[in-house]
Amino acid sequence: MTTLTLSKWGNAQAVRLPKDMREQVGMTDGSRIEATVKDGAIVLRPIRKNVRIIRVPRLADVFRDRAEEYKAVEELDGPAVGEEAL
């Protein structure tokens, strides 16, 4: 739990959110926040617009149906340089 302090900011009051806390929910400078009161508590929630969930397949699933065993192949595309030339 993090304790924050309410401070005067012009005619309003403000709370500063620590960077690590903002990063945990994907907020950056300029992010908008929805504020509500629920059961006597102030609830702050980032407003997410056009959020896309990208599902990345597991590597094991990508190669599950592969018939032959993988064998690395070195492709050379230029002259040898440095110690490679030895």
Side-chain angles (χ1 to χ4, degrees), residues 32-80:
R32 296 177 51 89
I33 299 173
E34 170 187 273
T36 56
V37 176
K38 183 176 181 179
D39 299 327
I42 298 171
V43 179
L44 303 176
R45 185 168 292 145
I47 296 173
R48 303 191 193 287
K49 290 186 180 180
N50 302 324
V51 173
R52 289 181 22 196
I53 297 174
I54 300 171
R55 304 228 183 260
V56 178
R58 294 180 329 137
L59 195 55
D61 293 336
V62 170
F63 292 102
R64 180 179 341 128
D65 299 326
R66 187 176 178 94
E68 73 240 15
E69 188 164 330
Y70 173 76
K71 183 177 178 185
V73 177
E74 183 178 8
E75 294 182 19
L76 303 175
D77 338 78

